[in-house]
Amino acid sequence: RVLSGAHVTVFYESEQAAAEDVFALAEARGGELADLLGLQQTKPVEIFIYDQESVMQTKNYGLIAPLLHLDLYIGDNIGDRVLLTSPANPGSAHSYDDNRTAALHELVHAYNSLLNPDMTYWVNNGLAGYLSGQQPSYPVASYSPLPTLEQTRVSGPLAPVTFANFGGYEFSYTYIEYLAEAYGWDAVKSFAKDCDYQAAFGIDEASIYKAWTTFVKDAYSE
């Protein structure tokens, strides 16, 4: 079953009301999100909504997915295609609203794949979390250790698991928040195109990391 719009095309199984809710949100915000990233969208992003979390998970990880205990894993993207667990059956670790908002998170990922296929996992998720409004809980820097510079360079097929284990989703949001506050959104938008720290911010990655750690400790610690 299909819902078609200018920015997204939603394919769904049987949970019609939830699919319509996701479609309305993604269609309303799609143009704005593309503009914020400096992306000229030429065709709608395809969003595939699965009624069960376990089915969605196998679309990327295959039959090994249940063995990975991915309770937090409710959505993903494969290039410019989005996979999402229906908000109607959000899984044990999430709510209806969590899964609905995750559609925007994954939509940003899809846009990022078109804008810069080589974007790092850290920056990619930071942009997705920040632009979809998935603000971290306060005071995240008090109850969770800050990721190291090396951890922010996480990559590979199991990156989502590693990333979640060190609080990557919350901390990467604060990274983009810092960049936007310190340098302005135009600089962040320029950075998203090629992740060239020197060109966008005038300093290297290690210096940005050091300044960010000061910011996040001040802003997200008790």
Side-chain angles (χ1 to χ4, degrees), residues 22-66:
V22 168
F23 172 77
L25 178 64
E27 182 65 17
R29 295 286 310 280
E32 171 199 353
L33 294 173
D35 286 344
L36 285 168
L37 290 165
L39 179 71
Q40 192 73 29
Q41 188 175 2
T42 58
K43 64 178 182 177
V45 169
E46 294 180 335
I47 301 177
F48 296 83
I49 302 179
Y50 299 93
D51 288 349
Q52 301 298 324
E53 183 182 46
S54 57
V55 175
M56 187 286 299
Q57 292 178 353
T58 64
K59 298 302 176 180
N60 203 2
Y61 285 98
L63 298 179
I64 196 175

Side-chain angles (χ1 to χ4, degrees), residues 11-217:
F11 300 87
Y12 67 98
E13 295 180 304
S14 63
E15 297 290 359
Q16 181 176 346
E20 290 175 345
D21 205 3
V22 168
F23 172 77
L25 178 64
E27 182 65 17
R29 295 286 310 280
E32 171 199 353
L33 294 173
D35 286 344
L36 285 168
L37 290 165
L39 179 71
Q40 192 73 29
Q41 188 175 2
T42 58
K43 64 178 182 177
V45 169
E46 294 180 335
I47 301 177
F48 296 83
I49 302 179
Y50 299 93
D51 288 349
Q52 301 298 324
E53 183 182 46
S54 57
V55 175
M56 187 286 299
Q57 292 178 353
T58 64
K59 298 302 176 180
N60 203 2
Y61 285 98
L63 298 179
I64 196 175
L67 303 177
L68 299 176
H69 305 292
L70 303 173
D71 292 342
L72 297 175
Y73 181 50
I74 55 172
D76 208 335
N77 74 294
I78 299 177
D80 61 354
R81 290 183 169 186
V82 169
L83 313 178
L84 186 70
T85 303
S86 174
N89 304 296
S92 60
H94 293 283
S95 67
Y96 183 100
D97 285 341
D98 289 338
N99 287 40
R100 180 174 175 269
T101 303
L104 297 182
H105 182 106
E106 300 303 335
L107 182 57
V108 174
H109 280 316
Y111 287 154
N112 285 344
S113 75
L114 294 169
L115 181 70
N116 178 6
D118 297 322
M119 187 180 292
T120 67
Y121 198 82
W122 171 254
V123 171
N124 199 340
N125 276 280
L127 286 169
Y130 185 77
L131 292 178
S132 62
Q134 295 174 313
Q135 188 170 5
S137 56
Y138 178 84
V140 62
S142 292
Y143 62 72
S144 184
L146 270 63
T148 65
L149 178 58
E150 188 60 33
Q151 284 177 311
T152 68
R153 295 168 177 166
V154 62
S155 63
L158 292 181
V161 179
T162 305
F163 198 73
N165 287 341
F166 68 72
Y169 293 101
E170 292 191 304
F171 281 120
S172 63
Y173 174 107
T174 71
Y175 191 75
I176 301 301
E177 181 183 25
Y178 163 70
L179 293 177
E181 290 190 11
Y183 296 96
W185 189 256
D186 284 346
V188 176
K189 183 163 62 174
S190 174
F191 173 68
K193 294 177 182 179
D194 55 16
C195 290
D196 186 331
Y197 284 89
Q198 198 70 44
F201 309 121
I203 57 176
D204 61 20
E205 180 188 12
S207 299
I208 288 285
Y209 171 83
K210 184 177 179 180
W212 164 73
T213 60
T214 300
F215 164 82
V216 72
K217 287 175 184 176

